[in-house]
Amino acid sequence: MFDLLTIILLIMAAIAAVAGYRAIALSHSLAHERRRVADLTAGIVFRAEGERILDLSREATRLTGAVTGTSLREVLGEQLADGREEALSAVDQLIDRGQPMRLLVSDRSGAPYELSGRPKGGELIVTLSDASLMVTELRKSQARILARERALELGGHERRTMSALLDAGAAIAWQRAADGSIAWSAGSVATRQGNVSATQTTQLLRARPGDAEPDETGIVRTRLEILPAGAIEPLPLQVIEAPSEGGGASGLATDATVAAQAERTLGRFVQTMTETFAHLTAGLAIFSPEQKLVLFNPALAQLLQLDPAWLANRPSLRDVIDALRANRRAPETGDFHGWRARILALFDQPERADFDEVWHLADGTNIKVLARPHPHGSLAFVFDDISDRVRLEQRFRQSIDLQEATLDRLEEGLAVFGTDGRLQIVNDAFNRIFGTDEQTVYPGRHAREIVQLCRDLTVETEVWDRVTGFITSEETRGAWSERLTLGSNRTLRIRLAPLPGGATMMMAIDITDSERFAEALRERNSALESAEEMRTAVLDQVSHRLRTPLNTIFGFGQLLNDPRFGHLTERQREYAAGILEASGQLLDTIDEVTDLASLQPGDRPDTGGDPGLDDAVELARSLLEKRAGEAGVTLRADLGTENVAVVCNPSTLRQIVFNMAAGALHRALPGSTVQITTSIPREDRVALSVTERPRATPSSEAEDRRSEADQATAALQLTGRMVEAEGGTFSYGPSRPAPGATRGGGAAIGEMCAVATFKISGETMGLDTAPIPTALRS
């Protein structure tokens, strides 16, 4: 029984032992698993055996994408950038020798990490920790270290510099205690006059009371003069003392010989300038940076009527301005306080002061006031009486204005060109005669441009080449004149004459009325002569062919009625009386015819009215036929408006039509066609179109010539302004069918068209086919 119980106990003990062993093993396994989990949750952690990764944390997987079984060295090599080689070498030492590592690295994005590794049992634990804070602190520490090193370096430079200056005899330095005693001194000042030691300087500083006042920073600046041993003249020293820690002061003394000499030179210069300014007629006043008067000359007191004794007391600039206002020597302004503040504000930036004004005083005096920078922040004011100069300029301007007004009142157009060929003077009559304006003819424009503009406005063109040569020529020139015809059927006479200095004067006179009067007088004389001849012929006919037979009939009638030659019957006497009565009536009739023959022919009345468009087109075509033939251009006119009357000045209308046609001829190439068309696009409008039709295949040379012509002419702009001045519209561009035109088809390539529209006056007139005078045709 005992043995069975013993066996049972032994068996139970064995079972208990096995269970305890398993519990212990399970406890160790759980502890190991907890440590593994703790390692893998500490951030970016790799657990490896040798080089092979056994396990890695979740963040390590997210960062590297690595899995178990991969190479730790390769994973780190792919992820690291800065410090990669050093990190891989440390990993090799950890794997091979179990040597722990800890160093700073960065990944490919530049983020800093702390790489650490250590052996643990038979495994390796490698961790990557965020090192941003560590890097920041490290950089701050490095900056502090560099700053301290720089401070030490600068301190060394300061010590070496000060020692070199003191040893070389360039300066004397000392340290003053809080009670005013000299705690330390060193150095010397060596000059050609002798040497001044630190002892001499500090003894003089102790002996002199502290009379110098410190500035706003607490620095005291003063001047000492010490006589070196064996010297004749004292040596000036510039002394500077600055407050230091503990209530003391640090001092430095340097040679001030150059500064003292400059001050003496400046004093002599000021004295010389003062004596010189005393003889100036212009007033001079110099104000210090504190706006105090420090220098003035007698002319200032005399010009501004101020008391010299009062000025000698150094008044401020504000006081001077107020005194000028009190004695009415300041200009009258609406805002005196603002004007005074503007002058006082010059001292805000004295180095940039630039004041220039003319004061017009109540007594008629004119004073020019200038303010300019003066050394050391001062300002110098110059007062100059320019009353005589102002009066002279006023008289000169009045003379110029009078001359310009006189020239503008002339009926003759006047233009003066300088030696460079540019226009200097032009009057209003010149623009009025040629139909130009101030926008196209103005001083400074070259003669070639003005001549080109005038060439397009006249029938005769070759004369303008002579004009250009006369203006630009430097040879001996003689005055000459020429007769010209404008496109508006007006006649001009231009005269060119040389002026002194190589200038040229061109005068233009409108002789249209004179020519018309002369032509009218010639026609009247011719008519009078013809009438006289006709009257003489009529009287001759009456005398020889009417009066002689009538006298015979009348004489025989009287003989028949005379009783001395026989008695007549009653009926015969009645017949004879009838013959005498009829002869008397016929004689009266002859007398009336004679009186009628003696009458002078009357002038044709001028009915006036608006001009006809077709008349103007026909006139322009007749005037330009010769020019078109010489240029090899076909000129055509298509009149489709039945000579409708337009609201326009007759002379202006003729000039507009002539300008449009002449400009087209000027731009057209040989073989081209210029078509003048009139149409009625609306009930109240009439359109005039001038179309340039080039030949089929123009050469490149012709295209270049046409481009140059387009650039040269300014007649289109002038014509447009003339049309707009008459209440019409004007355009120029690629050809389109004319408004209201009946011809079909589109425009040819290269066609250009100028279109002018006018208001219809409501009056219709027949086409005037009167012949063009021979002078205009030529």
Side-chain angles (χ1 to χ4, degrees):
M1 194 66 182
F2 177 78
D3 294 334
L4 181 58
L5 179 61
T6 302
I7 293 171
I8 293 173
L9 291 173
L10 290 173
I11 292 172
M12 292 178 63
I15 293 172
V18 171
Y21 176 76
R22 289 182 176 178
I24 293 172
L26 180 59
S27 175
H28 282 288
S29 177
L30 291 175
H32 177 72
E33 185 64 21
R34 283 195 296 270
R35 287 194 299 273
R36 185 184 71 82
V37 171
D39 290 337
L40 295 179
T41 57
I44 305 172
V45 181
F46 300 91
R47 189 169 65 84
E49 183 178 4
E51 187 177 348
R52 183 173 61 87
I53 296 177
L54 296 178
D55 202 355
L56 68 167
S57 65
R58 185 179 304 171
E59 292 187 10
T61 303
R62 181 182 58 79
L63 177 65
T64 64
V67 296
T68 57
T70 57
S71 172
L72 176 63
R73 195 175 189 281
E74 293 179 357
V75 170
L76 295 178
E78 292 177 356
Q79 297 297 320
L80 301 181
D82 293 342
R84 177 176 177 276
E85 298 299 331
E86 183 181 359
L88 294 179
S89 176
V91 169
D92 292 340
Q93 294 293 329
L94 176 63
I95 295 173
D96 296 339
R97 301 179 182 179
Q99 181 177 345
M101 65 176 180
R102 186 174 184 181
L103 64 161
L104 288 175
V105 295
S106 64
D107 62 5
R108 288 174 295 179
S109 64
Y113 288 94
E114 180 185 11
L115 177 64
S116 61
R118 69 183 190 281
K120 189 174 184 181
E123 300 174 354
L124 302 176
I125 303 298
V126 178
T127 305
L128 283 173
S129 303
D130 184 9
S132 301
L133 182 60
M134 181 186 300
V135 170
T136 302
E137 293 298 328
L138 180 60
R139 289 175 180 173
K140 291 181 179 178
S141 300
Q142 291 176 345
R144 287 193 294 270
I145 293 174
L146 290 176
R148 291 181 179 179
E149 291 178 351
R150 181 61 179 169
L152 291 175
E153 183 180 0
L154 292 176
H157 290 322
E158 292 176 357
R159 287 191 298 273
R160 288 190 295 271
T161 301
M162 184 59 69
S163 299
L165 291 175
L166 296 178
D167 295 340
I172 299 173
W174 63 89
Q175 184 69 36
R176 190 189 295 270
D179 57 357
S181 61
I182 303 299
W184 168 85
S185 64
S188 64
V189 175
T191 65
R192 290 180 297 178
Q193 301 180 15
N195 295 339
V196 176
S197 64
T199 303
Q200 291 177 284
T201 303
T202 55
Q203 289 177 352
L204 184 57
L205 288 173
R206 286 194 298 268
R208 290 186 56 180
D211 53 353
E213 295 292 335
D215 57 15
E216 61 274 5
T217 62
I219 298 177
V220 178
R221 292 178 174 84
T222 185
R223 181 76 60 81
L224 296 179
E225 290 188 354
I226 300 178
L227 183 65
I232 300 176
E233 295 182 357
L235 176 66
L237 295 179
Q238 184 67 36
V239 176
I240 298 177
E241 282 192 324
S244 60
E245 297 180 359
S250 300
L252 186 68
T254 57
D255 185 6
T257 303
V258 177
Q261 292 176 352
E263 290 175 355
R264 289 192 293 269
T265 302
L266 180 60
R268 290 192 297 268
F269 174 76
V270 170
Q271 183 179 2
T272 303
M273 293 299 293
T274 303
E275 295 175 355
T276 303
F277 292 153
H279 302 286
L280 292 180
T281 57
L284 175 67
I286 299 178
F287 290 87
S288 66
E290 293 77 21
Q291 303 184 15
K292 294 290 186 179
L293 181 63
V294 296
L295 178 65
F296 70 95
N297 63 344
L300 178 72
Q302 181 179 0
L303 182 61
L304 300 183
Q305 299 180 5
L306 297 175
D307 184 8
W310 181 75
L311 293 175
N313 290 328
R314 302 182 63 183
S316 66
L317 179 58
R318 178 185 292 271
D319 295 337
V320 172
I321 295 176
D322 291 341
L324 293 178
R325 185 189 185 189
N327 62 5
R328 299 181 63 82
R329 303 301 289 175
E332 299 293 338
T333 60
D335 183 11
F336 172 77
H337 298 286
W339 175 75
R340 181 181 62 185
R342 184 164 58 88
I343 297 178
L344 298 178
L346 296 174
F347 283 91
D348 295 342
Q349 292 182 327
E351 67 280 356
R352 297 184 180 180
D354 187 10
F355 182 81
D356 188 347
E357 271 189 3
V358 176
W359 293 359
H360 304 285
L361 305 184
D363 60 353
T365 305
N366 298 280
I367 300 178
K368 185 177 181 61
V369 183
L370 298 176
R372 294 293 184 266
H374 201 65
H376 310 298
S378 301
L379 283 181
F381 286 82
V382 179
F383 300 83
D384 188 11
D385 188 351
I386 60 171
S387 301
D388 295 338
R389 188 189 314 168
V390 170
R391 285 191 290 269
L392 181 62
E393 290 178 354
Q394 290 176 349
R395 288 196 296 268
F396 179 74
R397 285 195 297 267
Q398 291 174 356
S399 176
I400 295 297
D401 294 340
L402 180 60
Q403 293 178 7
E404 292 180 353
T406 303
L407 292 177
D408 290 336
R409 296 301 186 276
L410 294 177
E411 294 295 333
E412 298 82 1
L414 177 66
V416 178
F417 298 89
T419 56
D420 57 353
R422 298 191 177 276
L423 183 65
Q424 294 182 344
I425 300 174
V426 63
N427 66 348
D428 295 341
F430 186 91
N431 290 326
R432 184 172 61 253
I433 291 174
F434 284 98
T436 56
D437 54 26
E438 296 180 353
Q439 298 179 1
T440 55
V441 178
Y442 50 84
R445 194 167 190 183
H446 201 274
R448 294 188 182 90
E449 300 174 340
I450 299 176
V451 165
Q452 180 62 40
L453 176 62
C454 296
R455 184 197 304 269
D456 295 334
L457 301 177
T458 59
V459 176
E460 298 82 5
T461 58
E462 62 280 356
V463 68
W464 294 107
D465 295 332
R466 183 181 177 189
V467 172
T468 304
F470 187 87
I471 294 174
T472 58
S473 175
E474 297 181 356
E475 301 177 358
T476 303
R477 303 169 296 169
W480 57 276
S481 62
E482 188 66 40
R483 181 178 177 276
L484 297 175
T485 304
L486 289 178
S488 59
N489 203 14
R490 293 165 55 210
T491 305
L492 305 179
R493 180 168 294 280
I494 63 170
R495 175 177 175 82
L496 281 92
L499 295 177
T504 304
M505 178 185 67
M506 183 174 75
M507 294 188 65
I509 305 174
D510 189 345
I511 60 174
T512 304
D513 295 337
S514 301
E515 291 284 331
R516 289 176 180 174
F517 292 154
E519 183 67 22
L521 289 176
R522 287 192 294 269
E523 293 178 356
R524 183 179 181 86
N525 291 335
S526 178
L528 289 175
E529 292 175 359
S530 300
E532 182 65 23
E533 292 176 358
M534 182 180 65
R535 185 180 67 85
T536 303
V538 169
L539 293 177
D540 188 44
Q541 291 292 331
V542 170
S543 298
H544 292 83
R545 298 191 179 186
L546 294 178
R547 287 184 182 273
T548 300
L550 183 60
N551 289 334
T552 301
I553 295 171
F554 191 75
F556 281 110
Q558 288 179 340
L559 289 176
L560 290 175
N561 202 25
D562 190 349
R564 292 177 300 174
F565 296 97
H567 294 280
L568 300 176
T569 65
E570 187 65 27
R571 185 175 293 276
Q572 288 175 340
R573 282 196 300 272
E574 291 178 0
Y575 289 159
I579 292 173
L580 292 176
E581 183 180 358
S583 299
Q585 292 178 356
L586 182 57
L587 182 59
D588 294 337
T589 301
I590 291 173
D591 292 337
E592 291 178 359
V593 171
T594 303
D595 294 338
L596 180 62
S598 64
L599 294 176
Q600 299 294 335
D603 293 334
R604 179 181 175 182
D606 185 7
T607 59
D610 293 324
L613 180 58
D614 291 356
D615 286 340
V617 172
E618 185 63 24
L619 175 63
R621 186 189 64 78
S622 300
L623 292 174
L624 294 173
E625 276 182 343
K626 181 179 178 181
R627 186 190 296 189
E630 293 175 352
V633 178
T634 302
L635 180 61
R636 296 177 181 174
D638 182 8
L639 307 180
T641 58
E642 299 180 355
N643 201 28
V644 64
V646 298
V647 179
C648 184
N649 182 276
S651 177
T652 303
L653 178 63
R654 291 192 294 270
Q655 186 70 59
I656 290 172
V657 177
F658 180 85
N659 287 357
M660 294 174 64
L665 287 177
H666 183 76
R667 293 184 296 272
L669 304 173
S672 303
T673 301
V674 174
Q675 178 77 33
I676 306 176
T677 306
T678 60
S679 60
I680 302 179
R682 294 184 348 200
E683 293 182 357
D684 60 337
R685 288 282 176 174
V686 63
L688 170 68
S689 305
V690 179
T691 307
E692 309 161 27
R693 298 177 182 171
R695 61 192 182 192
T697 55
S699 62
S700 58
E701 180 181 359
E703 290 294 338
D704 294 340
R705 290 176 53 195
R706 179 166 186 166
S707 176
E708 294 174 359
D710 286 340
Q711 296 176 0
T713 181
L716 286 173
Q717 300 178 3
L718 179 60
T719 302
R721 286 194 289 271
M722 294 173 66
V723 173
E724 293 171 358
E726 295 295 334
T729 61
F730 181 82
S731 63
Y732 178 76
S735 178
R736 293 177 297 177
T742 57
R743 66 181 180 90
I749 298 177
E751 283 192 7
M752 301 295 288
C753 183
V755 180
T757 63
F758 303 89
K759 294 180 181 179
I760 298 177
S761 67
E763 177 184 356
T764 304
M765 56 185 66
L767 183 62
D768 186 4
T769 57
I772 305 302
T774 305
L776 295 184
R777 289 182 180 274
S778 62

